Amino acid sequence: MQEQEAAKNLAQGALADTGNAIGVLRRREIEARIVGPLLEALGAEFGREAVLEVARTTIVRIAREQGAQLAAQVGRNDLGAFEQTLEAWTQDDALRIEVVERDAQRFGFNVTRCRYAELYRALGMPELGAVLSCNRDYALIEGFNPAVELTRTQTIMQGASHCDFRYRLAEAAAGEPEKP
């Protein structure tokens, strides 16, 4: 069945993204081991900031597309469905989270341990962690549901004690009147 679907996608010019099957933490490690040195080499040749900006823009686009694909796979795009998708990111104890709020309009949690940040530090590329991982968060939820807003004021990747993710369904989408 999967082979038929992959063949169909390949014939249509699109290959299904099954990379999370190995776990997102492992996937990020594989990506970082290839992309990190590549970005460094390109930065030395063409200018570090210009290369990192192209990487940021590309990763945001990919994350937005992945968010839309995720909503399609789940079959809905509400906050409860989004919470269920966190299993992929927390797999293998990659993230430890504490939920601080959960209802139809809001979903908030703190990340108290981030093995992604630990990974990038261990690989000697802590500054790329934000570009390759944290950079995706806002775009992912935008692709998953454009009516959901993410607020995050700090990350472990940047040296904070925890990451504070707060998702909120926009008022107009929640059926509340828009403010003039």
Side-chain angles (χ1 to χ4, degrees), residues 20-32:
N20 288 351
I22 62 169
V24 179
L25 181 63
R26 181 76 174 134
R27 179 180 181 156
R28 294 293 178 261
E29 179 182 0
I30 293 165
E31 292 170 351

Side-chain angles (χ1 to χ4, degrees), residues 8 63 68 74 84 105 127 147 174:
K8 179 182 170 187
V74 175
Q84 292 172 5
Q105 295 353 182
E127 71 285 348

Side-chain angles (χ1 to χ4, degrees), residues 2 19 21 29 45 51 54-55 73 76 78 89 92 95 159 168 180:
Q2 282 182 327
E29 179 182 0
E45 184 71 24
V51 168
V54 170
Q73 286 172 347
R76 46 189 247 264
D78 58 89
W89 286 273
D92 302 322
L95 293 177
R168 182 179 71 84

